[in-house]
Amino acid sequence: MTYLALFEDKSRGVRRSDLIAALERDWPTAVIRERHGSQEFRDVVWSYTDDSQELEGYSHMDGTCIYLDSPLGLAARFALWFRGLVAADIDLVFCDDGYSFDGIIEMGMSVDDVIAIATDS
């Protein structure tokens, strides 16, 4: 399933260089690529494997959203990590690609709290 972590303030997107540096620092085994193929809205694309779980992620060109194609637990970990890259005064929404649920990821939340956004709806 595809999950999203997004915010609306297009003037404050996470810069590509900051995202890449954070991925390299915090997820050192991730395979990172920039601008994948002809997908105009994709910017940084990465893959990550943790035990038997795999994630394919990418950021939107404006830096206001990451897309996470993975099991819920791994997506929640990455969404929570992305929260740390976004200014505290910006609401970061966690949802799926069909918007069948959504909730705000707040500073200090745990992975279980983020998972609950999806499972408590």
Side-chain angles (χ1 to χ4, degrees), residues 37-111:
S38 63
Q39 302 269 342
E40 292 180 15
F41 61 91
R42 290 184 184 197
D43 192 14
V44 178
V45 178
W46 69 94
S47 58
Y48 176 79
T49 302
D50 181 14
D51 299 322
S52 62
Q53 296 185 328
E54 295 181 13
L55 176 137
E56 291 290 327
Y58 63 92
S59 63
H60 192 276
M61 290 291 295
D62 64 10
T64 62
C65 180
I66 58 172
Y67 300 81
L68 306 163
D69 186 14
S70 73
L72 176 58
L74 192 51
R77 286 175 54 201
F78 267 87
L80 191 60
W81 166 80
F82 190 61
R83 168 77 269 182
L85 302 180
V86 176
D89 64 327
I90 295 177
D91 285 343
L92 181 67
V93 176
F94 183 62
C95 61
D96 66 355
D97 59 351
Y99 295 95
S100 63
F101 70 86
D102 66 86
I104 304 295
I105 301 175
E106 299 188 22
M107 295 292 197
M109 289 179 91
S110 69
V111 171

Side-chain angles (χ1 to χ4, degrees), residues 4-35:
L4 292 79
L6 64 114
F7 58 95
E8 297 295 325
D9 188 346
K10 300 204 183 301
S11 69
R12 299 173 71 183
V14 176
R15 292 184 335 198
R16 172 191 300 151
S17 59
D18 293 339
L19 178 62
I20 292 171
L23 281 165
E24 289 174 342
R25 178 190 68 229
D26 300 331
W27 306 93
T29 59
V31 177
I32 303 167
R33 301 177 302 279
E34 291 185 57
R35 200 163 291 142

